[in-house]
Amino acid sequence: MKYLLNFLFFFGFSILATAQNQVLKLWPATPPLQKEMDLKEEVVQEGILRISNVQEPLIEVFLPTPQVATGEAVVIFPGGGYGILAYDWEGTDFAKWLNSQGIAGIVVKYRLPNSKSLIDPKEVPLMDAQRAMRLVRHHASDWNINPSKVGVMGFSAGGHLASTLSTQYAHELDRDKDAIDQLSARPDFSILVYPVITFNERFTHGGSRKNLLGDTPSKELIERFSNELQVDENTPRAFLVHAQDDQAVPLENSTLYYQALHSKGVESSLHIYPKGGHGFAFGRSRGAVENWTEVLLDWIKNLN
């Protein structure tokens, strides 16, 4: 059964600014590369809260209680093939879980490239991701966050965005900038969960590539957004997890990225489970993959 939640969703956002979490716009006015159009976001609850046609990009900030805060923060990019955002399944559920571990969780409602209001769609998700990172560092002291311990977490196409930010954090377009734009957008670490990494025809997720780059992208664009080709010595450390039986995003996406990191001397961690499929999130009731979050916590604790 399908329920349209537009009113409730936005009303809920308006009252979420509590001691535990708050909502902030990414941009003070009309976001860059966006035309003013009378378009509505779509919010549908079908077991998973799905958001599409994002017009007002936001971050929703979940903070742990000060007594248990580690100073670490994770900026979360939900997946959805660059067509929708699986906002709770791969977003707010993980932010709340991170809070239970003393880690701040910041969920990004980023713009999707299939919106008709966008001027240069392929550039917009990265631009929103950069702004989210900078906004977290801007508020670091207010939120009890160490600005040198801010990582990213991305699922599926959100993993593509997280790895794009990790390799193209310094990419800039000619636009008006404010003081927040002067802060670093480089993540200190990345957590990539069944991520789309490559746009190489053999291993890519076709829907994500088509939604971001269109039907017939140039070779230059395919290479630019094949993030295993963009890794260098300054790319942040990564934790990657994938299932061998993933029929949507081949596990080679994770192995290609790990190999690129290894070749540049970037210490990282790759975990492949035999079963789990795609979109397993916490992996509940899917066998051994259910343990991946515990492995992740150990990795985070040993980052320093």
Side-chain angles (χ1 to χ4, degrees):
M1 186 174 183
K2 183 180 295 186
Y3 301 92
L4 291 178
L5 300 175
N6 290 336
F7 171 77
L8 291 177
F9 185 79
F10 292 109
F11 176 75
F13 262 137
S14 70
I15 63 174
L16 280 175
T18 66
Q20 283 71 42
N21 64 304
Q22 55 189 292
V23 175
L24 284 76
K25 293 182 180 180
L26 284 185
W27 307 99
T30 302
L33 299 180
Q34 183 168 317
K35 298 175 289 187
E36 288 283 4
M37 297 180 68
D38 188 22
L39 298 177
K40 303 297 182 183
E41 297 184 3
E42 296 180 7
V43 184
V44 177
Q45 180 77 61
E46 288 182 322
I48 296 173
L49 183 63
R50 293 175 168 87
I51 305 176
S52 58
N53 201 34
V54 173
Q55 300 300 305
E56 186 175 70
L58 306 167
I59 55 171
E60 187 172 0
V61 183
F62 293 80
L63 301 177
T65 56
Q67 292 87 346
V68 300
T70 65
E72 295 159 322
V74 176
V75 179
I76 305 170
F77 303 108
Y82 282 123
I84 62 103
L85 301 178
Y87 191 77
D88 52 359
W89 182 250
E90 296 171 344
T92 55
D93 287 354
F94 277 88
K96 296 170 186 176
W97 171 75
L98 287 166
N99 280 185
S100 72
Q101 309 301 320
I103 302 169
I106 297 94
V107 184
V108 186
K109 181 164 75 85
Y110 57 93
R111 289 174 290 167
L112 298 162
N114 53 7
S115 173
K116 294 180 180 179
S117 63
L118 302 183
I119 297 168
D120 190 353
K122 72 180 185 303
E123 300 290 349
V124 167
L126 176 58
M127 182 176 288
D128 284 353
Q130 290 171 319
R131 182 71 175 187
M133 285 293 299
R134 290 166 172 152
L135 201 55
V136 171
R137 289 197 167 109
H138 176 72
H139 288 282
S141 60
D142 300 329
W143 297 342
N144 196 25
I145 290 171
N146 184 334
S148 65
K149 293 184 177 182
V150 182
V152 290
M153 184 180 208
F155 300 79
S156 194
H160 184 267
L161 181 54
S163 62
T164 304
L165 180 63
S166 296
T167 54
Q168 301 185 46
Y169 52 85
H171 179 77
E172 294 292 345
L173 300 177
D174 185 17
R175 61 178 179 86
D176 292 336
K177 297 179 182 179
D178 59 19
I180 294 173
D181 289 316
Q182 309 309 312
L183 299 173
S184 173
R186 179 187 180 276
D188 293 299
F189 57 91
S190 61
I191 302 161
L192 307 176
V193 188
Y194 39 86
V196 178
I197 295 292
T198 188
F199 280 171
N200 177 293
E201 187 72 34
R202 183 179 178 188
F203 297 124
T204 194
H205 177 251
S208 296
R209 190 177 86 162
K210 178 179 178 180
N211 284 336
L212 187 64
L213 302 184
D215 291 320
T216 56
S218 67
K219 179 182 177 182
E220 289 74 20
L221 280 179
I222 291 173
E223 290 182 352
R224 178 189 160 194
F225 287 100
S226 291
N227 292 320
E228 78 279 10
L229 303 179
Q230 308 306 322
V231 169
D232 63 22
E233 293 81 359
N234 296 315
T235 303
R237 292 172 286 182
F239 177 99
L240 299 109
V241 60
H242 223 114
Q244 190 174 355
D245 65 347
D246 191 328
Q247 298 300 306
V249 178
L251 67 85
E252 283 84 359
N253 282 266
S254 285
T255 59
L256 285 169
Y257 195 71
Y258 177 81
Q259 289 167 355
L261 291 165
H262 178 66
S263 71
K264 298 297 183 181
V266 180
E267 293 184 358
S268 296
S269 186
L270 171 64
H271 302 270
I272 298 175
Y273 293 84
K275 296 186 182 300
H278 188 70
F280 53 74
F282 282 102
R284 300 290 187 260
S285 303
R286 297 211 190 184
V289 73
E290 186 172 358
N291 188 53
W292 80 266
T293 52
E294 297 304 314
V295 181
L296 170 62
L297 289 178
D298 288 340
W299 183 77
I300 293 175
K301 290 175 183 177
N302 289 284
L303 279 175
N304 297 326

